[in-house]
Amino acid sequence: GAVVSQHPSRVICKSGTSVKIECRSLDFQATTMFWYRQFPKQSLMLMATSNEGSKATYEQGVEKDKFLINHASLTLSTLTVTSAHPEDSSFYICSAQTGGGLQPQHFGDGTRLSIL
Amino acid sequence: AQTVTQSQPEMSVQEAETVTLSCTYDTSESNYYLFWYKQPPSRQMILVIRQEAYKQQNATENRFSVNFQKAAKSFSLKISDSQLGDTAMYFCAFMKLSGGSNYKLTFGKGTLLTVNP
């Protein structure tokens, strides 16, 4: 149980395009979803937290107009990287949690984003 | 702000042997949780073990156990009888239990563990 599916697993696109990454909880209702960014040989850095039906809360230094997060249902959250540039290339990971608080976070497989 | 430090970027161990991964953290909080996560080559992060700061007893989960030293702010992971499937990146993480209902994880940089046959 507690499976989180992230799609796509890898995307390569040209500079200036927008890229959407989906995060789905397959067998549970995700009241809260988290989006992380991971650079090579670095730790996961939390970008934003989203509660279903509410606006996402972004961490300091994360551009909310650059990284659009939508959590419109209890099973789906999307991260859209708008007008992506090479510096946005990274590994993006989502996690989902039901019930909030101290409930465990279940992680997706991640998305490797490469901007040419 | 909290920081989590994993001083060993890479480690290796022979199959069936025991290995200990180090983690230290810095916080002014008194109530928090600590975690070890595993990220195998398939990339999906998996929770290995969790420790509540208010508990003095070290958490144990089958072959995985921790040595939690609250005063020293140290939280090491011991893997006994290492198996090839334990090869992964291991992340130590901290979660403070204040400041709202969304409890955030702060991760260390990770330790790449390789189990050799």
Side-chain angles (χ1 to χ4, degrees):
Chain A
V3 178
V4 175
S5 173
Q6 199 171 329
H7 179 80
S9 58
R10 186 178 183 96
V11 59
I12 302 171
C13 58
K14 293 181 179 179
S15 182
T17 58
S18 293
V19 179
K20 180 183 284 188
I21 302 170
E22 292 186 348
C23 180
R24 292 181 185 273
S25 57
L26 299 186
D27 52 1
F28 67 100
Q29 293 185 329
T31 51
T32 305
M33 285 189 171
F34 302 83
W35 286 95
Y36 296 87
R37 184 172 180 176
Q38 185 180 25
F39 291 102
K41 298 185 179 181
Q42 298 291 320
S43 66
L44 283 73
M45 300 299 294
L46 180 64
M47 299 175 65
T49 303
S50 71
N51 292 304
E52 186 267 335
S54 303
K55 287 185 178 179
T57 301
Y58 289 80
E59 294 300 300
Q60 192 172 12
V62 178
E63 300 176 59
K64 54 184 69 177
D65 293 332
K66 175 74 168 177
F67 300 99
L68 300 179
I69 291 172
N70 183 280
H71 190 173
S73 78
L74 284 171
T75 59
L76 174 65
S77 176
T78 59
L79 167 67
T80 302
V81 184
T82 61
S83 186
H85 293 284
E87 59 266 27
D88 299 323
S89 298
S90 191
F91 194 69
Y92 293 87
I93 303 177
C94 72
S95 72
Q97 181 188 55
T98 187
L102 297 172
Q103 295 300 316
Q105 292 184 31
H106 305 285
F107 287 82
D109 287 347
T111 297
R112 170 73 60 198
L113 174 62
S114 299
I115 309 298
L116 304 177
Chain B
Q2 286 65 234
T3 58
V4 178
T5 303
Q6 292 178 252
S7 59
Q8 305 150 314
E10 296 186 35
M11 292 189 73
S12 63
V13 63
Q14 291 299 120
E15 195 175 6
E17 293 187 348
T18 296
V19 64
T20 299
L21 309 183
S22 301
C23 174
T24 58
Y25 58 95
D26 188 24
T27 185
S28 58
E29 301 285 330
S30 58
N31 199 14
Y32 50 88
Y33 277 50
L34 295 162
F35 303 83
W36 278 98
Y37 280 88
K38 170 184 177 180
Q39 189 181 39
S42 66
R43 283 293 189 174
Q44 188 169 44
M45 295 271 285
I46 304 166
L47 177 63
V48 175
I49 200 165
R50 180 173 93 168
Q51 174 80 42
E52 294 90 335
Y54 65 86
K55 289 187 176 179
Q56 292 186 334
Q57 187 173 9
N58 289 322
T60 299
E61 195 72 40
N62 299 317
R63 298 183 296 107
F64 299 88
S65 61
V66 298
N67 184 3
F68 174 47
Q69 301 291 327
K70 191 172 185 179
K73 296 180 181 174
S74 171
F75 183 61
S76 61
L77 174 70
K78 185 171 83 171
I79 305 174
S80 304
D81 185 25
S82 297
Q83 300 176 0
L84 296 178
D86 295 333
T87 292
M89 182 73 84
Y90 286 81
F91 291 97
C92 178
F94 173 99
M95 176 190 284
K96 71 173 184 176
L97 302 181
S98 63
S101 59
N102 288 137
Y103 299 133
K104 305 172 187 177
L105 290 168
T106 301
F107 288 89
K109 288 189 176 182
T111 296
L112 178 60
L113 175 67
T114 302
V115 180
N116 298 309

